[in-house]
Amino acid sequence: MTEVIGSMVPQASRPAARRPHIVLVNAWHDDNKGDSAITEGVLSLATHVSPHATVSVVGLTENPDQGNDAMRHIARRRPDAVLLPNPMPSELRGRDDASPLVDVPIWFSRLLSPAAAMAFGRVPQRYRRIFADADLVVGVGGSNLYTDASVQPVVSLARLFTLAAPLTAASRMGIPTVLLGHTLGPFPASRPAARRLAARMLGGANHTVVRDEKSLTVARELGLAKPELAPDMAYAITSDNSSRVDAAVTAVPAEMARTAVIAMRAHPSLEDGANDRVIAQIIDATATLRRTGLIDHVLVVAHTLGPTRIEDDRPISHRLHAALDRHQIPASYADEDLSPTELAALYGRAACMIAVRLHAAVLATLSGTPTFAIAYFSSKSEGVMRASGLGDAVAGFAEVTGGHIATALGRQMNSPSARSRLAAITDGHRTNLQDRACQWFAPVTDPHAAGHHVGRDEDDSYDKPRTNNGS
């Protein structure tokens, strides 16, 4: 009877339903196409399961003047999204490099206040404002939750703290939180404090979704909630054959279907001789592929353009291009600022991909392009390639050989069904993610789960949310 009476109430007298609010945190920078692809993948899943939700994206770039540039591809993808700079003090302060003697002490001094608040169980005001009406907080995945044995322990610990802080804050506010698509670790035995910090600060998450088996083990060792393995979040996106992709293809002086694409990066910690060795192995592999008639040309793509100096692939890509030229292998170079979906379209037209950048491999396989990955850090490349049926097409930076690359790619390129089989696997990854996203995003898909509200402090001077037009 109650339902009948309720149905007779005039529509105008019913309160308007509040749109659920999803907040993504720890989105890095659109110069880094891999991290950008992960963020776009998470946004795609959010749209799939809750198309009417309000979305805010909190970046890791602190300087608000750079906020829109840092998320320019995300802005085109979701023009209605609210973009926010990093509320936590950062080591870089919006620049591309930091001085250990100057910037790190400044960073530590600025971290004292929020660190003290978190240590005593409080939630810093900066997070209370951002999460005031949030129904779900999502930690955007990638390889960011770890400790680096080559970095000073206190610096590595501070970086881990700043990435875990928003997730801890949301959990303390009673907001459901999800870790989505992470590679966890390593946490070396020599850094027990980092392991304890990760376990404590990430322990409040409702779901822990990782993208490789080793990370699943780490999640269980840390005691994180509901650890589960899933494909990389970038598999949720689809390629975009835009006019910019057409222009990039037109600029290549050969058929893309006969062109090998290489996405090179410099190793972040090994000596420069290691980079020279990998370049030599890539030259050996491309020479073999060309000699056996599988390719005519090589396109070197600077896959990632920053934002930090160590992430900028242009210098090492120029070196590789010059080395190819010296060895008389026809090659061209490109560093257009294409979005991840556009890069997926470009790589999808190639004969094959040799990827040191993991997400160059992911984006290439979306269209079934034969791919070989060269791993430079953690277990992420091995896990992702194995999940795509390419466990024999990946090798470590220090061990890879030109013969291994050429053999693995030749096997794929000479198989009539390889492309369709690989594309079907990646389509399956997308479907898998979409199906499971309903569980991860349950607080914004289940009308009875949403509704956590905390009053916003209107007198606070923290930067107000900015839409994509900078307002």
Side-chain angles (χ1 to χ4, degrees):
M1 185 64 179
T2 302
E3 292 181 1
V4 174
I5 294 173
S7 66
M8 296 172 63
V9 176
Q11 293 292 322
S13 66
R14 294 178 180 174
R18 185 182 70 85
R19 296 170 64 189
H21 184 196
I22 304 170
V23 181
L24 275 57
V25 298
N26 294 343
W28 183 208
H29 199 291
D30 281 349
D31 279 352
N32 187 309
K33 307 304 181 180
D35 287 278
S36 182
I38 292 172
T39 303
E40 287 207 21
V42 174
L43 284 170
S44 294
L45 294 177
T47 301
H48 175 75
V49 300
S50 187
H52 302 298
T54 299
V55 177
S56 298
V57 184
V58 183
L60 289 172
T61 301
E62 184 180 2
N63 188 338
D65 294 335
Q66 298 183 10
N68 279 341
D69 179 65
M71 293 185 271
R72 57 194 180 276
H73 298 312
I74 295 170
R76 286 196 290 268
R77 178 81 171 182
R78 282 294 299 256
D80 60 328
V82 175
L83 307 181
L84 292 166
N86 189 359
M88 186 65 75
S90 69
E91 180 182 4
L92 294 170
R93 288 183 286 157
R95 297 172 300 165
D96 66 355
D97 204 1
S99 165
L101 296 178
V102 177
D103 296 299
V104 170
I106 292 173
W107 179 37
F108 285 174
S109 67
R110 297 173 65 227
L111 274 176
L112 284 176
S113 176
M118 298 293 284
F120 285 99
R122 300 195 302 272
V123 176
Q125 233 3 69
R126 63 193 74 196
Y127 287 126
R128 286 194 172 276
R129 291 187 292 275
I130 292 174
F131 300 150
D133 62 347
D135 298 297
L136 177 68
V137 172
V138 179
V140 175
S143 297
N144 51 17
L145 299 174
Y146 68 94
T147 185
D148 191 338
S150 67
V151 176
Q152 288 291 332
V154 67
V155 174
S156 188
L157 205 63
R159 290 174 183 167
L160 180 60
F161 167 79
T162 59
L163 289 157
L167 300 160
T168 304
S171 178
R172 287 179 180 174
M173 291 174 67
I175 304 168
T177 62
V178 179
L179 295 168
L180 210 52
H182 285 75
T183 290
L184 294 176
F187 296 104
S190 59
R191 302 286 177 88
R195 180 176 289 268
R196 290 195 297 269
L197 182 70
R200 179 179 177 183
M201 296 191 71
L202 303 176
N206 299 81
H207 290 278
T208 306
V209 184
V210 298
R211 57 184 178 175
D212 61 88
E213 291 284 355
K214 287 187 178 180
S215 293
L216 191 61
T217 299
V218 171
R220 288 168 176 160
E221 290 173 349
L222 294 176
L224 304 186
K226 297 181 181 178
E228 56 183 294
L229 185 65
D232 189 285
M233 295 297 131
Y235 283 113
I237 70 175
T238 55
S239 59
D240 176 14
N241 281 288
S242 68
S243 58
R244 299 202 304 166
V245 174
D246 290 336
V249 170
T250 301
V252 177
E255 289 184 48
M256 277 299 295
R258 300 280 302 168
T259 297
V261 175
I262 304 174
M264 181 66 182
R265 77 152 292 170
H267 197 280
S269 59
L270 295 180
E271 296 293 332
D272 199 42
N275 296 321
D276 292 333
R277 195 198 75 83
V278 169
I279 287 175
Q281 299 308 314
I282 289 174
I283 288 172
D284 180 55
T286 52
T288 300
L289 293 173
R290 185 165 174 259
R291 186 173 60 251
T292 55
L294 292 174
I295 66 169
D296 297 327
H297 192 78
V298 175
L299 174 63
V300 179
V301 175
H303 177 84
T304 288
L305 309 178
T308 63
R309 194 172 301 167
I310 193 64
E311 293 173 273
D312 191 342
D313 294 342
R314 286 170 290 193
I316 193 70
S317 297
H318 281 301
R319 280 173 58 184
L320 173 59
H321 183 217
L324 288 163
D325 185 61
R326 287 196 302 272
H327 286 80
Q328 299 182 331
I329 297 173
S332 50
Y333 167 85
D335 60 7
E336 284 86 355
D337 181 30
L338 300 177
S339 71
T341 55
E342 290 172 320
L343 284 172
L346 176 66
Y347 299 161
R349 300 189 194 185
C352 64
M353 162 65 77
I354 301 173
V356 182
R357 285 290 182 183
L358 169 62
H359 281 90
V362 170
L363 298 179
T365 59
L366 288 176
S367 299
T369 299
T371 299
F372 190 97
I374 300 174
Y376 65 89
F377 179 74
S378 78
S379 59
K380 59 184 181 180
S381 296
E382 291 89 342
V384 167
M385 293 296 282
R386 191 178 302 114
S388 294
L390 297 176
D392 65 339
V394 58
F397 203 92
E399 298 82 31
V400 67
T401 65
H404 187 180
I405 297 171
T407 299
L409 286 176
R411 187 180 301 118
Q412 296 175 57
M413 298 169 77
N414 285 316
S415 170
S417 62
R419 277 186 176 264
S420 58
R421 185 171 62 249
L422 183 55
I425 290 173
T426 57
D427 284 345
H429 288 338
R430 185 181 302 108
T431 300
N432 183 346
L433 290 170
Q434 290 174 343
D435 290 344
R436 295 164 70 182
C438 294
Q439 179 185 11
W440 303 330
F441 288 83
V444 294
T445 58
D446 179 358
H448 301 291
H452 178 86
H453 304 284
V454 177
R456 187 184 295 270
D457 184 352
E458 299 295 346
D459 295 328
D460 205 288
S461 61
Y462 178 70
D463 297 283
K464 300 298 181 184
R466 296 182 305 123
T467 55
N468 291 337
N469 61 9
S471 61

